[in-house]
Amino acid sequence: MAGDHARPSPEVVRTYDMPKPVIREAYSQNPASRRYVVDSLRKVRELCVELGIVTPLSKQIWRAFGIWG
């Protein structure tokens, strides 16, 4: 879900007939796009740590999804 705000909606993709390989190249397989998603979650991650709600399990999950930072 974190990456959803950084990519065009399905409606926009359909309306402008955007090819799936282009979407993959621009968003799914693009290191800069991935870095943007991780950076956009930094404040949320820091707040969770500050509030003490990060458990070892939740930290593993964030790492598994590649969004721990």
Side-chain angles (χ1 to χ4, degrees):
M1 187 162 107
D4 290 344
H5 72 279
R7 64 177 51 210
S9 69
E11 294 81 18
V12 170
V13 172
R14 276 192 304 274
T15 300
Y16 295 102
D17 197 25
M18 300 169 79
K20 288 184 181 182
V22 170
I23 301 297
R24 274 194 298 274
E25 183 179 336
Y27 300 100
S28 303
Q29 299 171 348
N30 187 327
S33 177
R34 185 72 187 148
R35 184 82 242 152
Y36 174 79
V37 171
V38 172
D39 287 346
S40 70
L41 291 170
R42 177 175 288 122
K43 287 187 178 182
V44 172
R45 191 175 56 245
E46 290 172 354
L47 178 61
C48 290
V49 170
E50 184 180 325
L51 294 173
I53 59 174
V54 175
T55 65
L57 177 60
S58 63
K59 193 172 182 178
Q60 284 180 335
I61 292 169
W62 284 51
R63 279 195 175 132
F65 282 104
I67 54 176
W68 181 251

